[in-house]
Amino acid sequence: IQKLCDRVASSTLLDDRRDAVRALKSLSKKYRLEVGIQAMEHLIRVLQTDRSDSEIIGYALDTLYNVISNDLEEEEQEENVPKQVDDLGSQFTEIFIKQQENVTLLLTLVEEFDFHVRWPGVKLLTSLLKQQGPQVQQIILVSPMGVSRLMDLLADSREVIRNDGVLLLQQLTKSNAAIQKIVAFENAFERLLDIITEEGNSDGGIVVEDCLLLLQNLLKNNNSNQNFFKEGSYIQRMKPWFEVGDDNCGWSAQKVTNLHLMLQLVRVLVSPTNPPGATSSCQKAMFHCGLLQQLCTILMATGVPADILTETINTVSEVIRGCQMNQDYFASVNAPSNPPRPAIVVLLMSMVNERQPFVLRCAVLYCFQCFLYKNQKGQGEIVSTLLPSTIDATGNSVSAGQLLCGGLFSTDSLSNWCAAVALAHALQENATLKEQLLRVQLATSIGNPPVSLLQQCTNILSQGSKVQTRVGLLMLLCTWLSNCSIAVTHFLHNPANVPFLTGQIAENLGEEEQLVQGLCALLLGISIYYNDNSLENYRKEKLKQLIEKRIGRENFIEKLGFISKHELYSRAAQKPQPSFSSPDHMMFDHEFTKLVKELEGVISKAIYKSSEEDKKEEEVKKTLEQHDNIVTHYKKVIREQDQELEELKQRINTLTSQNEQLQATVTQQVSQIQQHKDQYNLLKVQLGKDTQHHNSHSDTFQMNGIQTEDVSKMKEELEEWKNKHELLQGQLREKESVIEKLKASPLEVGTTEQSSQTSKPGGLEHNNDLQKELEMLRSQLQLQSAEISKLQMENQKLQVMVPVTQFLVSWHLVGLELSQVCMECVWRKQGFSRSCALVRDLLCCQSEVKVLSEEKESLKQHLDSASSTVAILQDEKSKLQQEVAESKKEQDDLLVLLADQDQKLSALKIKLKDLGVPVEDEDDIESGDQGDEDEDGDEEEQD
């Protein structure tokens, strides 16, 4: 070994050093001490200087692992080779980590991807943590990115390195909350759950077991990691772990181990030692994701191994403990039997069955206790099965109450104790049920009258049964009588009970009976402390005198102290779950230890108090009760007023928002009204222009404040024009007849000479007159043509304002022009211009009347539509103004109500101060709420 060490230290060739290290590795298993003493320093130097050669680094790491690790010693023990040094590995580890740079160097080597370097490095670091865990943890914690480097091992594709990385992290996270948090926030939960899923959940191998152990290290007693696990929705990923098939036969040992660890991991999250808020949130998450339902399925399944069934019962117990929602679900679970029975009944049947395993019976008791913990509804359901009105007379089904009574009075002392403790939990902190349980009557034997449950318990006590039975019954009676004066009165009403208790306390018995004596003293003390003096023979003062005469106060207090001094009492006070090494050690219940702690001191004081002090204390109690009632009443009033104030504030906020919306609506409506007004004014201006234009031709239309003429007048004018038209037509027919006569006159001149001579001068004269008249008509025709062109221009302007009349006007104009052309041709040809001019004037007048009438109708329609629009907008404006006024009135009413409430509150505060109740000053409240009042004031100013 010395020569090899010299070669490692002095050889210049890498091959020589590599061969020497390889030789040291082969010797390190058998000659561990020698190699460790002589070669460790050289091996560390190789790690520092020869990092470029992975082979020599791997040999050096393997050699150091063989020297430091104690794993090989077990093999040596099997071969009966004695160990040279017991703590050899620990000593070599201390030498290695003395220089912190060595651990840092090892962390650097673990980062190498080369299998021959990384795997030995992981094993060596794991061995160091096993030997000197806290010291190595501290070095890794202060090393930069030390934990993060090790977390990369979980992502290695080579399963050997990944699995050894899990083992390394197990050692690294033991009892170190800081490292646990770092590992958790390096996404460890996600990676570990992925590995468990890949390996087949509970059907996986030992890798699943290692991952579960690492998860337990990360979560146990670490509230931060538990919260991170819940917030990361990792609880939901636990549900597939507990999916079991119908055929549960032939489970492998590894599967049983895996499922056991999985159940323990669930219990870590809902442990009673965790903060109540964290436990409650995890319980709710387990219900919502279906994990509780899956556990209940395992609970009711057949073929499940006994240890898995026991751990499942304990897990379900803690998942439902103190969570009303989960407790209600558990109460609804039925066993797959015919007929179906509640799971609680099936479990209680196992608890009172002496053939069942002891650990299973303890688990069922714990489950029943957790079901009743802070569950008054469940307590009432259990007690109701004992009451006479709810007992099934047919006897077809067994209830929970009947099973408890059967266990309470069976010959098995363990069943007696379990049933007594279970029944005590049904009465825990529930005075109403304590009174109702007094109604329970039991039929002891045929022909004998029934006795009460309370009396039957005292009868069994007096019969001198086993210690375990008596302890259980005494715990039940103490729980029953505490804080229930009516139960105390019933107990004292039996004249045999007090003498029995005093006799038990006064005797000098062995150590086994001392526990019974202490519980008897506690029961008698409860009978004094909660005595309402309703029985003359068993008043507080008389019972104290009885203790003084027969027992002695000091002796009574000493016997009372036997309870808390007992070793089994200290064990039971540690945690809620009943865990006993054997049935004989099953004496105390966790909740009962709390009751003893609470009552031991007050009973001791009550024994030494005089009657006058008792009276004063009773008076003080009554006064305090009165004050408490008054304070409770005022608290209730203040609470109601606070609720009313909150409602009013909410209503004010609602009305304020509605008011703002209405104001916005009003503003929008005002802007719309203004737009409509502008449009109306523009329309009025346009209509005024049109009216001025039409007034130049006719005075029949007047706008902008001037009244229009009646339609009837226009109709009369139209009738006149029609009459004139008919008259002109008659004249036209007369003229035509004259023309016909004139055409026939030349023929008459040719035939009769006389007639021609006489008619010739007249005919010439008549022709001259006609020529003049024709010239006159032509000049009038030109004037009329100019006037027609002027009217055409006016019609074009009217067409822009009244599109509907455009077609009619143009039609009339075209007809007028055609008629003018035709008539003009006739006039020129025939020479009868006057008749044609009259016809033309008639047609022009008639067309103008029609056009003007249509313009009047269209303008009147525009005016009517504009007037209706204005009326509608004015109605909407008035409605909105009315709504705004109503909302302002409601706000004023609310302000008045708030002022009244403030006056009432101030009056109540004054009364409370007069009664001595501490009340916060209004200045403190106003300083706390000043911001809110400023905001309210701003809102009122805006209103």
Side-chain angles (χ1 to χ4, degrees), residues 810-825:
S810 62
W811 185 83
H812 284 294
L813 290 174
V814 171
L816 181 60
E817 290 176 358
L818 290 174
S819 61
Q820 284 177 354
V821 172
C822 295
M823 292 301 295
E824 195 171 356
C825 292

Side-chain angles (χ1 to χ4, degrees), residues 674-823:
Q674 188 62 38
Q675 291 178 1
H676 288 301
K677 281 184 179 180
D678 296 339
Q679 293 177 0
Y680 175 67
N681 291 330
L682 181 61
L683 185 60
K684 281 175 66 177
V685 171
Q686 291 177 352
L687 292 176
K689 289 180 180 179
D690 294 338
T691 305
Q692 291 176 2
H693 171 71
H694 290 301
N695 284 339
S696 65
H697 299 284
S698 175
D699 294 335
T700 57
F701 295 102
Q702 297 180 358
M703 300 293 293
N704 295 326
I706 302 174
Q707 296 181 356
T708 59
E709 294 183 0
D710 296 332
V711 180
S712 59
K713 186 176 180 180
M714 295 297 297
K715 290 182 178 179
E716 291 177 357
E717 291 179 357
L718 185 59
E719 292 293 332
E720 291 178 0
W721 282 109
K722 286 182 179 180
N723 295 330
K724 289 180 181 179
H725 175 62
E726 291 176 355
L727 180 62
L728 288 172
Q729 281 183 347
Q731 292 177 358
L732 182 60
R733 286 193 294 270
E734 290 178 358
K735 293 292 184 183
E736 286 178 352
S737 63
V738 172
I739 290 170
E740 292 293 331
K741 291 178 180 180
L742 288 174
K743 286 180 178 180
S745 61
L747 295 175
E748 293 176 356
V749 171
T751 55
T752 306
E753 193 176 275
Q754 189 177 357
S755 60
S756 69
Q757 290 178 355
T758 56
S759 62
K760 185 176 179 181
L764 292 172
E765 186 178 356
H766 185 67
N767 285 330
N768 292 328
D769 294 335
L770 289 174
Q771 289 291 334
K772 292 178 181 179
E773 189 175 359
L774 182 61
E775 293 294 331
M776 187 185 298
L777 289 173
R778 284 178 177 175
S779 61
Q780 290 179 359
L781 179 62
Q782 291 177 356
L783 293 173
Q784 291 294 331
S785 299
E787 187 176 357
I788 286 169
S789 62
K790 184 178 180 181
L791 288 173
Q792 285 177 350
M793 292 175 65
E794 291 177 357
N795 284 331
Q796 290 177 357
K797 292 180 181 180
L798 288 174
Q799 285 172 2
V800 176
M801 292 301 297
V802 191
V804 179
T805 61
Q806 182 178 3
F807 174 76
L808 296 174
V809 173
S810 62
W811 185 83
H812 284 294
L813 290 174
V814 171
L816 181 60
E817 290 176 358
L818 290 174
S819 61
Q820 284 177 354
V821 172
C822 295
M823 292 301 295

Side-chain angles (χ1 to χ4, degrees), residues 308-319:
I308 294 297
L309 181 60
T310 302
E311 190 64 24
T312 303
I313 294 173
N314 289 326
T315 306
V316 171
S317 304
E318 294 183 351
V319 172

